[in-house]
Amino acid sequence: SAVADMLDPQGAAWLQDIGANPLAAGEGMDMQVQVGLAHGPGRWVQWRGQAERNRPWMLHGVCVDVTAQAQETLRERQAHLESELARTSLLQDLAARSEARLREREADLARVQRIGAVGGLDINIVDGMSSRRSPEYLRLHGRPARATQETHGAWRSRLHPDDVEQAEEHLLGVLDSDATYYESEYRIIRPSDGEVRWIAARADIERNAQGRPVRLVGAHIDVTEQKRVQDALRRSEERLRQFGEASQDVIWIRDAESLNWTYLTPAFEEI
């Protein structure tokens, strides 16, 4: 009991265990404990011994003061711990800065996409064509801001009835080929307001070593206004053609730079 009172908790528990479970004959022991705690910080000692073969309750051994070595080991562990803490703090700081820069870049990208009316998309072809959509993509397609994850079926459901088969067949056909670039134009019916919009889709196709498509990364651009201008121009040209064919007057159009004839009425050709 007197010896146990001099030991640290670990040493006292060890001594109590030795008393309850004596060593086998010839069995050795090796234990480092702290003693003298009642009179200060104590000293570290190394107990090494062996039980007698004929009297296992008798122990023979040495007790060596290893305070200097123990303190050095403690200092090394403390220094290592401080180094790890500093390293962890540095990594956390770098991670926080990287995350802040990433958020800033994402905000810049979203701003550029909004200004250019370009919606980004990232389709995981291997995972059932699941995809991630940018905020501008969702706005162009009339989708809520929370709908960043989308299935192939959800995209297909927005396609105009007259374009759905052609648009899907073209996409799947490109993926089934060895192409690394996808380009298509089709109409959608925007669910937010029911308006028909023309979409120009452009994307890179990533393939694995076997040539199978694994990922499609690209953009959607709303080209509705361009389509309206092109349609108005075609209607205007058609009206001019119909007028020229019905008129007896000589009407012609010539390019100012090349001087090539771009339009001649039948009356002109009869001259």
Side-chain angles (χ1 to χ4, degrees):
S1 175
V3 174
D5 291 342
M6 297 172 58
L7 302 178
D8 62 1
Q10 182 182 5
W14 169 77
L15 186 63
Q16 184 178 6
D17 182 66
I18 288 292
N21 304 286
L23 298 175
E27 184 178 357
M29 68 168 189
D30 190 343
M31 184 67 182
Q32 188 177 104
V33 296
Q34 197 173 14
V35 299
L37 299 178
H39 308 288
R43 308 284 295 178
W44 283 95
V45 296
Q46 187 85 23
W47 285 353
R48 294 176 180 170
Q50 188 175 27
E52 289 189 5
R53 294 189 177 277
N54 298 326
R55 296 182 298 173
W57 61 88
M58 294 293 294
L59 301 176
H60 294 280
V62 295
C63 181
V64 181
D65 188 332
V66 293
T67 301
Q69 297 94 312
Q71 290 177 342
E72 180 62 25
T73 300
L74 183 61
R75 283 193 294 269
E76 290 177 356
R77 291 177 179 175
Q78 182 68 23
H80 178 71
L81 178 60
E82 292 176 354
S83 175
E84 287 299 309
L85 289 174
R87 180 173 176 270
T88 301
S89 177
L90 177 60
L91 290 176
Q92 290 175 341
D93 182 60
L94 291 175
R97 292 183 182 181
S98 297
E99 186 176 352
R101 285 197 295 269
L102 178 60
R103 287 196 299 267
E104 183 179 350
R105 298 284 172 79
E106 289 177 343
D108 289 343
L109 178 60
R111 183 180 181 184
V112 170
Q113 290 182 349
R114 176 177 53 81
I115 294 172
V118 177
L121 69 154
D122 186 341
I123 300 177
N124 186 335
I125 301 172
V126 179
D127 188 24
M129 299 285 282
S130 62
S131 63
R132 292 185 292 113
R133 315 291 187 170
S134 73
E136 185 60 19
Y137 175 98
L138 299 175
R139 190 192 69 79
L140 293 179
H141 281 256
R143 300 280 288 148
R146 65 181 180 276
T148 55
Q149 303 290 328
E150 186 171 67
T151 64
H152 177 72
W155 165 77
R156 191 180 190 279
S157 68
R158 290 195 302 277
L159 296 178
H160 191 281
D162 293 340
D163 295 349
V164 59
E165 296 299 334
Q166 181 274 333
E168 185 170 45
E169 288 178 5
H170 177 61
L171 171 62
L172 298 180
V174 171
L175 294 178
D176 196 41
S177 68
D178 59 356
T180 58
Y181 186 73
Y182 161 73
E183 184 174 8
S184 182
E185 288 188 358
Y186 48 79
R187 288 167 294 177
I188 64 168
I189 300 177
R190 204 159 52 186
S192 59
D193 53 15
E195 186 176 351
V196 176
R197 308 295 295 183
W198 275 96
I199 297 296
R202 309 285 187 269
D204 286 335
I205 302 172
E206 296 181 5
R207 298 181 180 273
N208 60 19
Q210 291 73 41
R212 298 188 182 93
V214 295
R215 187 183 180 204
L216 187 147
V217 181
H220 278 193
I221 305 171
D222 189 327
V223 293
T224 304
E225 297 307 318
Q226 295 93 310
K227 287 291 186 179
R228 288 173 178 170
V229 170
Q230 292 171 4
D231 187 55
L233 180 59
R234 281 194 298 269
R235 290 198 301 268
S236 177
E237 291 175 344
E238 178 62 19
R239 287 195 298 269
L240 176 61
R241 185 189 65 79
Q242 293 176 356
F243 174 78
E245 290 179 353
S247 175
Q248 299 301 317
D249 296 329
V250 175
I251 301 174
W252 52 270
I253 300 176
R254 197 173 191 182
D255 186 90
E257 293 184 0
S258 65
L259 299 181
N260 293 327
W261 303 100
T262 59
Y263 178 76
L264 299 172
T265 64
F268 184 95
E269 296 176 354
E270 292 177 357
I271 298 177

